[in-house]
Amino acid sequence: MGAGLLGACAPARSPAPEISAAEIVTQADEHRNAGRLKDAARLYSWVLESFPRASERADAQFGIARVEM
C-alpha cells in the first residue's frame, strides 16, 4: 500500500538534465553563426553568471565581444 502512495506523489515528469558550460557555449556559437545575436549574447552571459569557475568563461567572454562587434 505504501508503494502506491509514493507513486501517486511522484512528480509528473523528471527534472531537466544538467547542461554543461561547454554545451551552452556551443549553442551560443550556433546562434551567433546563424545571426541570432541576442540569443547568443544571452547564452554567453548565462555561462558567465552561472559557471564562475568554468574554463569556458574565456570562450563566453570572447563570444560576447564578437557579438558586440
Side-chain angles (χ1 to χ4, degrees):
M1 185 162 140
L5 183 59
L6 290 176
C9 296
R13 60 178 214 192
S14 60
E18 293 292 323
I19 187 166
S20 70
E23 291 171 313
I24 298 169
V25 169
T26 298
Q27 289 179 8
D29 290 342
E30 291 171 3
H31 283 296
R32 183 181 42 79
N33 292 337
R36 295 184 300 270
L37 302 180
K38 286 184 181 181
D39 292 331
R42 181 180 51 82
L43 290 173
Y44 290 132
S45 295
W46 184 21
V47 170
L48 295 176
E49 294 169 10
S50 300
F51 299 90
R53 297 176 191 233
S55 61
E56 292 82 10
R57 286 181 55 80
D59 295 332
Q61 289 173 326
F62 184 65
I64 288 176
R66 290 182 72 184
V67 166
E68 292 292 324
M69 287 179 43

